[in-house]
Structures are given as structure tokens and as C-alpha cells.
Amino acid sequence: MDKSKALDLGIRRSAEMAAVFMIGDGLLGLLQPRRHVTLWRSDVPAVDALVRPFAERPGRRRAYGALQIVAGIALASALKRRHPR
């Protein structure tokens, strides 16, 4: 496999991993929004800033979870295998 094909495959695998993370994180946020937000709260301001908008707002976290699931499925669906088996 040449370097260009290897790089393309690596990018596609990384995108697939991102899609799986988005779907899983979205599902947890959808099903257990309070627990999920509490888990990700942090003393590190940059990290906490990411979840602060969802604190004490389970409906908002559920909506974001549904959006993550849709985006993850869309990303995974866009990845078509280009290499022969």
C-alpha cells in the first residue's frame, strides 16, 4: 500500500472512531443526562466550559445527545470503503 492510500485509510479510520464516540457519547447523554454531565464536570476551566451549559439542564443535554447521534451516524454513513477487499 502506498503512502497516499495508507494516509487515506488512516483518516477514514479516525473519522469512524470519531463517529463511534459521537454516537456513544450522545446515547449516554440522551439516556442519563445528569450523570453524564456530572461525570464530565472538572476543576480545569477549559474542560468544565464544555459541559457547563448542560449543568442542571437535562433537556438541553438530551437534545444535544440526539444531535450527536445524528451527526455520528451521518459521518459514519459518509465513509465508504474505497479499497478492494
Side-chain angles (χ1 to χ4, degrees), residues 24-40:
D25 190 62
L27 189 58
L28 287 172
L30 188 66
L31 297 175
Q32 299 178 336
R34 291 183 191 277
R35 186 204 61 80
H36 194 60
V37 170
T38 300
L39 176 67
W40 284 98

Side-chain angles (χ1 to χ4, degrees), residues 39-56:
L39 176 67
W40 284 98
R41 293 302 304 256
S42 174
D43 292 335
V44 178
V47 174
D48 197 56
L50 297 172
V51 294
R52 193 176 315 124
F54 305 109
E56 302 305 319

